[in-house]
Protein backbone atom coordinates (compact mmCIF):
# COMPACT_ATOMS: atom_id res chain seq x y z
CA UNK A 1 0.00 0.00 0.00
CA UNK A 2 1.10 3.54 -0.60
CA UNK A 3 1.60 5.59 2.52
CA UNK A 4 1.07 9.32 2.57
CA UNK A 5 3.06 11.54 4.82
CA UNK A 6 4.16 15.06 5.47
CA UNK A 7 7.38 14.40 3.53
CA UNK A 8 5.48 13.41 0.38
CA UNK A 9 7.00 15.38 -2.52
CA UNK A 10 4.86 13.94 -5.31
CA UNK A 11 2.53 16.21 -7.23
CA UNK A 12 -1.13 16.17 -6.18
CA UNK A 13 -2.09 14.89 -9.63
CA UNK A 14 0.30 11.94 -9.36
CA UNK A 15 -0.89 11.18 -5.82
CA UNK A 16 -4.49 11.26 -7.08
CA UNK A 17 -3.68 8.69 -9.76
CA UNK A 18 -1.98 6.45 -7.21
CA UNK A 19 -5.01 6.69 -4.92
CA UNK A 20 -7.37 5.88 -7.79
CA UNK A 21 -5.32 2.79 -8.62
CA UNK A 22 -5.33 1.62 -5.00
CA UNK A 23 -9.09 2.29 -4.81
CA UNK A 24 -9.68 0.16 -7.92
CA UNK A 25 -7.54 -2.64 -6.43
CA UNK A 26 -9.58 -2.54 -3.22
CA UNK A 27 -12.83 -2.62 -5.22
CA UNK A 28 -11.66 -5.78 -6.99
CA UNK A 29 -10.52 -7.38 -3.75
CA UNK A 30 -13.82 -6.59 -2.00
CA UNK A 31 -15.78 -8.00 -4.96
CA UNK A 32 -13.70 -11.20 -4.89
CA UNK A 33 -14.28 -11.65 -1.17
CA UNK A 34 -18.01 -11.06 -1.53
CA UNK A 35 -18.32 -13.57 -4.39
CA UNK A 36 -16.07 -16.26 -2.87
CA UNK A 37 -17.64 -19.58 -1.98
CA UNK A 38 -15.58 -19.69 1.23
CA UNK A 39 -16.87 -18.03 4.40
CA UNK A 40 -16.26 -14.28 4.43
CA UNK A 41 -13.86 -12.78 6.95
CA UNK A 42 -16.17 -9.98 8.08
CA UNK A 43 -13.44 -8.09 9.95
CA UNK A 44 -11.15 -8.08 6.91
CA UNK A 45 -14.02 -7.00 4.68
CA UNK A 46 -14.91 -4.11 7.02
CA UNK A 47 -11.27 -2.99 7.14
CA UNK A 48 -11.01 -3.05 3.36
CA UNK A 49 -14.22 -1.04 3.01
CA UNK A 50 -13.02 1.47 5.60
CA UNK A 51 -9.72 1.90 3.73
CA UNK A 52 -11.63 2.30 0.45
CA UNK A 53 -13.76 5.04 2.02
CA UNK A 54 -10.67 6.82 3.34
CA UNK A 55 -9.15 6.69 -0.14
CA UNK A 56 -12.34 8.14 -1.61
CA UNK A 57 -12.20 11.02 0.88
CA UNK A 58 -8.53 11.67 0.11
CA UNK A 59 -9.23 11.61 -3.64
CA UNK A 60 -12.05 14.12 -3.22
CA UNK A 61 -9.74 16.38 -1.20
CA UNK A 62 -7.02 16.21 -3.86
CA UNK A 63 -9.53 16.83 -6.65
CA UNK A 64 -10.78 19.88 -4.80
CA UNK A 65 -7.20 21.15 -4.29
CA UNK A 66 -6.19 20.63 -7.92
CA UNK A 67 -9.47 21.54 -9.57
CA UNK A 68 -10.07 24.81 -11.35
CA UNK A 69 -10.91 27.58 -8.93
CA UNK A 70 -14.02 29.56 -9.73
CA UNK A 71 -13.97 33.30 -9.21
CA UNK A 72 -15.69 34.49 -6.06
Amino acid sequence: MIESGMGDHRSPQRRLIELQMEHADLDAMIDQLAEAAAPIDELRLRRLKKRRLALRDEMARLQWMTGPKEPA
Side-chain angles (χ1 to χ4, degrees):
M1 254 189 261
I2 300 168
E3 298 294 326
S4 64
M6 297 304 288
D8 194 353
H9 298 290
R10 293 174 290 210
S11 72
Q13 292 85 3
R14 180 181 171 125
R15 179 73 180 133
L16 181 58
I17 291 168
E18 291 170 349
L19 291 172
Q20 289 169 335
M21 290 170 48
E22 186 177 352
H23 188 272
D25 290 345
L26 280 173
D27 270 343
M29 194 179 309
I30 289 168
D31 287 345
Q32 286 176 349
L33 282 173
E35 294 173 0
I40 296 175
D41 181 351
E42 291 294 330
L43 180 60
R44 182 174 182 214
L45 189 59
R46 275 186 283 167
R47 286 179 176 164
L48 290 171
K49 287 180 177 183
K50 186 175 181 177
R51 175 65 183 150
R52 182 176 62 177
L53 184 58
L55 287 172
R56 194 176 298 150
D57 290 345
E58 180 70 8
M59 288 186 305
R61 186 183 68 81
L62 283 171
Q63 287 171 338
W64 179 82
M65 286 176 47
T66 59
K69 306 293 184 229
E70 295 186 27

